[in-house]
Amino acid sequence: MSKYIFTLGGVMSGVGKGVTTASVGKILQARGYTVTAIKIDPYVNVDAGTMNPVEHGEVFVTEDGDETDQDIGNYERFLGIDIKRDNYMTTGRVYQSVIQRERNLEYKGQCVEVVPHIPEEVIHRIKKAARKSKADITIVEIGGTVGEYQNILFLEAARMMHYRNPDDVLFILVSYLPVPGKLGEMKTKPTQYAVRQVNSVGIQPDFVVCRSTEPLDEPRKKKISVFCNVRKEDIISAPDVESIYHVPVNFEKEKLSEKILTKLKLKAKKQDLKEWKKMMNASSRSKKTVKIGMVGKYFASGHFILPDAYISVIEAVKHAAAENKVRVDIDWINSDSYEKNKKKIKELDKYDGIIVPGGFGYRGVEGKILAIKYARENKIPFFGLCYGMQLATIEFARNVCGLKDASSTEFRPNTKYPVIHIMEGQAEKLSKKQYGNTMRLGAWPCVLDKNSQSAKLYGKSRISERHRHRYEFNNEFRQKLTKKGLLLPGLSPDKKLVEIIELSQHPFFIGTQFHPEFTSRPLEPHPLFVGFMKAALTRYSKK
Ligand code: GLN
């Protein structure tokens, strides 16, 4: 039987509930327990795959091909495990299965009601995921903020689980304490209200994790404790930190794992965070800062720049920087800006490496192609991920092979040179408007050419990587492009699909049809990102 920890959010979103969940998982895992994590998203979408990344952030892809919330990525990175489809649910997914069961007469003639049938389905799913992961401890993050209408049924499920097994379930509320500039004082009132909101659905938090720009001081700990009915030692200070990977170690300064284990009536075994701490400090001790330019388009939200859509890429870059023992500075570059002002492209000189990440549609494409051309011609290390690889293929076809107007049928259906075209079976799905969860998804094997830079970096010739795409390299152009020097060192085992492109005579020019960022972890950085960072460091050192 697993023990369960629910993480809930108070006051506002985006304060680090996912990182808290992942970090709590990490410190319990470091005590010798098997831990898994579940994300519950309150929206009606069945998965995250159909959502606009500007609005929702990155769509994370699991080994088994689920399109999930970016928090699943945090769980994988902190816990170093593969999270399965069972560990992700949305309102849409829950309702879908209840309705399906009802249609199958599985409720045996009962009147199927929102309560209790929906929370019971949620509990069923939580327990199934825990069982399948063989977890001693399962952490369940409930998306959204308490007090919202949307997550109420999930909170009800959590309440029911606690009511049935009070010793096996506990609650962590992740709250936010503002320090308004004009006042210069940390305010606790929003947190007090948040706890009252949680109380109103029959839940008493066991711990309050207090996110803020500053550490929590004694007077405020006391205040929250008294007004929120939580022991003072269970009010956890969680100030902003240099990197999210410091969070587990900070939690341990407050002895959080010990306190949690005591409440769950589990033994606090000896802790091991040695490797973690080593990784955590690897970059911060360096005096070198490598500069990476990320040319994308899902950044702008009104007046604000949000890199959330590329979170796994950013983390993978950081892992690789730590592995190379350097600091890294990443700039977000809106590819549209190169379309509007062609001369601006020269700014790319200041970067030690350029990444063109995944994407969809035509907006920003020509700017990305200009950036790729610049990186290729000026020998700036370049790494193209999925769309980045497809656009690098197009750039090569246009500017090296002279196939003017070479393109992808994704955005130019009638192009004369469709060097990237739709995959077999995908056109039919699109014509039937079957958009949800129908791309080529999840892990697929790939065989590498032993002499390639990629194979050398991986140190092996058979790999498996995660995918999310509908379009692919068009094999009709293999000969034309390879004749001019494009290398295709990674193919599917049946040799039908091009998974990697590479250029020799360039310090680092690699494009992958897959998304290596999804499998990079702080303790196991991805070899291609490590190689890219190494090339960037070489360029940096020459300056
Ligand atoms: N839009 C491209 C495709 O569907 C690339 C997808 C991506 O970058 N994830 O194939």
Side-chain angles (χ1 to χ4, degrees):
M1 160 91 187
S2 189
K3 301 271 185 179
Y4 297 91
I5 300 172
F6 285 91
T7 36
L8 321 174
V11 179
M12 64 187 196
S13 66
V15 296
K17 200 158 23 99
V19 170
T20 300
T21 304
S23 301
V24 167
K26 183 77 225 169
I27 57 178
L28 296 171
Q29 191 188 52
R31 293 264 181 196
Y33 289 96
T34 312
V35 177
T36 193
I38 295 175
K39 175 73 195 275
I40 297 181
D41 268 329
Y43 38 69
V44 179
N45 303 57
V46 171
D47 55 50
T50 49
M51 272 183 272
N52 180 342
V54 177
E55 233 175 84
H56 177 261
E58 172 184 273
V59 177
F60 186 80
V61 181
T62 57
E63 279 296 287
D64 59 2
D66 201 7
E67 296 175 285
T68 74
D69 183 75
Q70 61 188 49
D71 281 326
I72 297 282
N74 276 325
Y75 308 160
E76 290 206 347
R77 289 187 280 270
F78 278 71
L79 298 174
I81 57 171
D82 291 339
I83 300 274
K84 302 250 161 57
R85 186 180 288 269
D86 293 313
N87 290 38
Y88 181 60
M89 72 181 102
T90 63
T91 297
R93 212 169 261 197
V94 172
Y95 270 87
Q96 203 179 39
S97 43
V98 169
I99 292 168
Q100 197 53 54
R101 280 206 198 147
E102 183 275 315
R103 297 285 79 188
N104 297 346
L105 217 64
E106 285 178 43
Y107 293 101
K108 300 192 171 56
Q110 279 181 60
C111 171
V112 180
E113 308 207 57
V114 171
V115 179
H117 293 104
I118 298 296
E120 288 292 9
E121 168 65 20
V122 174
I123 295 172
H124 168 76
R125 282 171 170 261
I126 291 173
K127 291 195 166 168
K128 185 174 153 203
R131 207 171 44 243
K132 280 199 168 176
S133 323
K134 298 193 174 62
D136 302 319
I137 303 170
T138 302
I139 314 186
V140 186
E141 178 184 348
I142 301 187
T145 313
V146 287
E148 262 174 36
Y149 189 69
Q150 290 209 85
N151 53 18
I152 204 94
L153 291 167
F154 297 112
L155 295 170
E156 176 63 0
R159 184 197 66 76
M160 285 160 71
M161 282 183 75
H162 179 259
Y163 170 75
R164 288 171 186 163
N165 298 86
D167 288 342
D168 298 333
V169 177
L170 66 77
F171 298 98
I172 299 178
L173 178 74
V174 184
S175 193
Y176 186 73
L177 290 97
V179 186
K182 287 260 158 55
L183 291 177
E185 186 199 351
M186 186 186 286
K187 304 305 281 180
T188 64
K189 196 57 70 57
T191 297
Q192 295 179 37
Y193 284 134
V195 172
R196 254 171 241 172
Q197 285 280 5
V198 186
N199 290 158
S200 73
V201 295
I203 293 173
Q204 171 61 43
D206 294 276
F207 296 94
V208 181
V209 169
C210 297
R211 286 281 301 113
S212 185
T213 48
E214 326 276 324
L216 200 63
D217 59 2
E218 273 304 298
R220 264 143 283 263
K221 263 199 183 180
K222 248 192 214 148
K223 215 176 192 175
I224 300 171
S225 169
V226 173
F227 292 119
C228 301
N229 224 0
V230 179
R231 294 187 318 175
K232 206 175 100 214
E233 58 269 34
D234 297 339
I235 314 284
I236 308 296
S237 168
D240 286 351
V241 279
E242 181 190 327
S243 140
I244 51 173
Y245 301 117
H246 287 243
V247 176
V249 174
N250 270 9
F251 280 171
E252 283 311 68
K253 286 185 188 147
E254 306 241 356
K255 301 197 167 48
L256 184 57
S257 66
E258 227 178 289
K259 291 175 188 170
I260 290 176
L261 291 169
T262 308
K263 286 204 191 203
L264 291 175
K265 301 199 165 33
L266 293 172
K267 232 178 82 198
K269 302 184 225 174
K270 204 172 161 294
Q271 185 179 59
D272 183 7
L273 277 172
K274 240 190 306 161
E275 283 299 302
W276 190 265
K277 286 184 184 161
K278 219 162 81 197
M279 168 279 297
M280 188 179 106
N281 294 321
S283 282
S284 44
R285 292 201 179 125
S286 172
K287 291 201 174 63
K288 298 176 186 165
T289 304
V290 167
K291 236 175 141 42
I292 302 296
M294 190 130 100
V295 187
K297 71 170 177 181
Y298 304 125
F299 296 123
S301 167
H303 292 299
F304 301 94
I305 297 289
L306 309 173
D308 256 26
Y310 305 109
I311 191 78
S312 292
V313 183
I314 295 166
E315 293 310 316
V317 168
K318 289 186 194 160
H319 307 157
E323 182 73 9
N324 279 285
K325 298 199 167 42
V326 286
R327 286 174 179 272
V328 65
D329 197 6
I330 310 172
D331 275 354
W332 331 120
I333 304 163
N334 230 323
S335 58
D336 306 7
S337 66
Y338 297 143
E339 294 169 14
K340 288 183 197 125
N341 177 3
K342 295 229 161 67
K343 282 202 195 110
K344 198 169 173 274
I345 200 83
K346 278 199 154 316
E347 74 177 13
L348 289 177
D349 275 330
K350 67 171 183 263
Y351 295 104
D352 304 309
I354 293 163
I355 295 178
V356 176
F360 296 84
Y362 186 56
R363 181 172 70 83
V365 153
E366 297 301 335
K368 289 181 191 173
I369 293 177
L370 288 172
I372 296 167
K373 177 166 187 274
Y374 199 84
R376 181 178 56 76
E377 290 177 343
N378 295 284
K379 306 238 183 296
I380 306 171
F382 164 79
F383 199 8
L385 314 171
C386 202
Y387 216 20
M389 169 270 198
Q390 296 178 356
L391 299 178
T393 305
I394 293 170
E395 191 280 319
F396 190 85
R398 284 184 189 174
N399 300 320
V400 179
C401 306
L403 305 177
K404 223 177 131 242
D405 299 327
S407 206
S408 162
T409 55
E410 177 172 356
F411 48 84
R412 188 123 319 137
N414 300 319
T415 172
K416 196 162 155 207
Y417 305 113
V419 289
I420 302 295
H421 69 165
I422 194 136
M423 297 188 76
E424 213 182 296
Q426 287 289 341
E428 196 191 331
K429 285 175 186 152
L430 292 187
S431 70
K432 289 186 185 156
K433 292 202 161 56
Q434 291 168 348
Y435 299 115
N437 212 238
T438 57
M439 285 186 230
R440 179 176 180 228
L441 287 165
W444 292 89
C446 167
V447 180
L448 303 177
D449 173 350
K450 284 195 181 69
N451 301 317
S452 63
Q453 196 179 357
S454 300
K456 279 177 196 138
L457 289 169
Y458 275 102
K460 55 183 174 188
S461 57
R462 217 188 147 89
I463 57 165
S464 166
E465 291 282 2
R466 297 186 197 175
H467 294 249
R468 181 173 185 252
H469 59 114
R470 283 189 209 283
Y471 296 82
E472 62 171 350
F473 188 105
N474 183 348
N475 289 333
E476 276 177 36
F477 291 89
R478 266 197 206 186
Q479 223 188 356
K480 266 205 178 94
L481 270 59
T482 50
K483 231 177 167 173
K484 290 281 185 186
L486 188 72
L487 305 170
L488 307 176
L491 302 175
S492 57
D494 63 5
K495 298 192 165 47
K496 285 191 179 149
L497 306 175
V498 172
E499 310 283 35
I500 305 180
I501 63 164
E502 221 179 89
L503 287 181
S504 54
Q505 321 291 324
H506 192 288
F508 189 103
F509 193 102
I510 292 181
T512 59
Q513 183 55 80
F514 47 83
H515 290 271
E517 69 271 25
F518 291 144
T519 47
S520 180
R521 290 167 186 172
L523 297 182
E524 285 165 273
H526 193 285
L528 294 184
F529 275 95
V530 174
F532 169 69
M533 189 54 70
K534 198 165 172 219
L537 180 58
T538 306
R539 178 174 161 91
Y540 166 93
S541 306
K542 279 189 194 147
K543 274 184 188 161

